[in-house]
Amino acid sequence: MPAAGRGDEEDAGPAPILHGGDLAAARRLFPEAPEPWLDLSTGINPVPYPLPPFEASALTRLPSQADLAALKRAAAAAYGARDLDEIACAPGTQILIETLPRLMPATRVAVVGPTYAEHAAAWGRAGHAVETVPELAATAAAAVVVLVSPNNPDGRRVAPAEIEALRARLARAGGLLVLDRAFADLEPGEGAWPGERDGLVELRSFGKSYGLAGLRLGFALASPEYVARLETALGPWAVSGPAIAAGRIALSDLEWRRQMAQTCAAEADRLDRMLLRAGGRLVGGTTLFRTADFPDGPGLFRRLGAAGIYVRRFAEHPARLRFGLPGGKAAWCRLSRVLKPS
């Protein structure tokens, strides 16, 4: 057996990408922490949409084309698509992130970051030359640009006029802009995409805003030609019957989304004040999560973990922590006790 060393580490491949919501990892880190855990490590709405009971047929039969069309109509109204053939439905946006790179020949890809790490990883796995760049101005040499706006984890937003100029440039050159708007639903001023869709694939996440991430439902809005390519790659019955039923109901409830946007915005402001009192310097975020730097980020992460509260940390920024919104009075009080200045 060869001795373990640098060569073995290289053969092991890239380190796995860490994500929020991994309470098994939290329990390994803090085995003595009290249960139940308060998981603030994700940007998922802690108030799920109140779904009515499903009809049994959503579980017992395959979804029909009529069912899928009804979901697309609800998504078109919610996200501003002009025609149903501009919408591809998928079991979550993650599968779309994985599928898009496989639809293009190997090329140069610029990911505006730091941002959600799965984008760069997916394009790299598909054989593309990927570079993470700090701003749009550094994307000129790329045929594909990936932009997350509002960004995760800092909430950075790019003005629609800048995005449209980038889309138009890429479309003229036969390129593609992947615009990830997973956190746009509840943001003020982040309505339907106002520009053209040629050369653009817009990703929208259902589960984050509606608090139903386990349902696995997401959408790509693009030109009819690109939607057809995505749907062919995903194959038939890509979205489950329960997900279609839930999406139809929730996406049609525009008043719930309007009220939830107001509620989450107020809760985000409340969380900001709490983080500031704890000595944090606000970096940004969205209405579903807030990010701050602390004088002793690792120490605060450990204190929170010991109290059974899991937040998102970042290896490249040890001072930085991201907090999702607590759900309910007990959760807020629990977080406040740990953050309260000594």
Side-chain angles (χ1 to χ4, degrees):
M1 179 181 296
R6 182 173 177 84
D8 294 317
E9 292 172 2
E10 290 173 351
D11 291 343
I17 296 173
L18 301 179
H19 296 286
D22 188 352
L23 290 184
R27 291 185 176 100
R28 288 193 298 270
L29 286 170
F30 305 101
E32 304 300 321
E35 296 275 356
W37 276 83
L38 173 57
D39 185 9
L40 304 182
S41 67
T42 72
I44 298 169
N45 189 346
V47 182
Y49 183 83
L51 287 171
F54 292 131
E55 293 185 8
S57 60
L59 291 166
T60 58
R61 64 175 177 81
L62 288 171
S64 68
Q65 287 300 309
D67 296 330
L68 192 62
L71 174 62
K72 286 190 174 187
R73 283 193 293 273
Y79 299 134
R82 292 163 294 197
D83 298 296
L84 299 192
D85 59 3
E86 292 184 341
I87 303 174
C89 308
T93 51
Q94 181 60 45
I95 193 63
L96 293 168
I97 291 170
E98 293 287 340
T99 303
L100 283 169
R102 299 198 292 268
L103 301 183
M104 295 190 68
T107 190
R108 297 184 66 175
V109 179
V111 179
V112 182
T115 190
Y116 183 54
E118 292 288 355
H119 283 291
W123 287 94
R125 283 192 293 269
H128 300 270
V130 183
E131 181 183 10
T132 298
V133 301
E135 56 189 10
L136 293 186
T139 66
V144 175
V145 176
V146 179
L147 174 65
V148 182
S149 180
N151 191 43
N152 175 17
D154 58 13
R156 178 194 67 233
R157 291 161 176 78
V158 178
E162 293 183 71
I163 298 174
E164 172 58 18
L166 175 61
R167 180 211 62 79
R169 173 175 69 78
L170 289 166
R172 287 193 298 269
L176 181 69
L177 171 60
V178 179
L179 178 60
D180 185 340
R181 301 184 72 207
F183 286 100
D185 285 7
L186 305 182
E187 297 299 297
E190 292 282 350
W193 169 247
E196 296 297 321
R197 296 207 181 274
D198 184 34
L200 172 72
V201 175
E202 177 190 0
L203 303 179
R204 300 298 291 253
S205 170
F206 173 82
K208 293 179 177 64
S209 301
Y210 290 86
L212 298 169
L215 199 68
R216 308 312 301 141
L217 180 61
F219 302 90
L221 284 74
S223 66
E225 295 78 13
Y226 220 94
V227 165
R229 294 176 66 189
L230 275 169
E231 290 183 333
T232 298
L234 292 171
W237 309 298
V239 182
S240 72
I244 289 175
R248 288 173 56 185
I249 295 167
L251 288 170
S252 299
D253 194 344
L254 301 183
E255 178 61 19
W256 183 90
R257 193 168 89 171
R258 185 190 68 79
Q259 293 181 0
M260 187 53 58
Q262 294 177 347
T263 298
C264 288
E267 297 286 75
D269 287 343
R270 178 183 180 184
L271 183 55
D272 279 350
R273 295 192 296 270
M274 190 177 288
L275 299 179
L276 287 170
R277 286 195 298 269
R281 181 184 67 83
L282 294 175
V283 173
T286 71
T287 54
L288 290 176
F289 65 82
R290 309 304 293 167
T291 304
D293 290 344
F294 293 87
D296 182 14
L300 179 55
F301 178 81
R302 288 191 296 271
R303 291 198 303 276
L304 289 161
I309 302 173
Y310 197 38
V311 299
R312 186 78 163 85
R313 58 177 173 169
F314 303 91
E316 65 276 19
H317 290 291
R320 185 160 297 175
L321 298 175
R322 193 191 72 188
F323 294 73
L325 298 181
K329 181 179 179 180
W332 279 101
C333 291
R334 190 172 171 185
L335 177 62
S336 179
R337 284 194 294 270
V338 181
L339 292 180
K340 187 176 181 179
S342 55

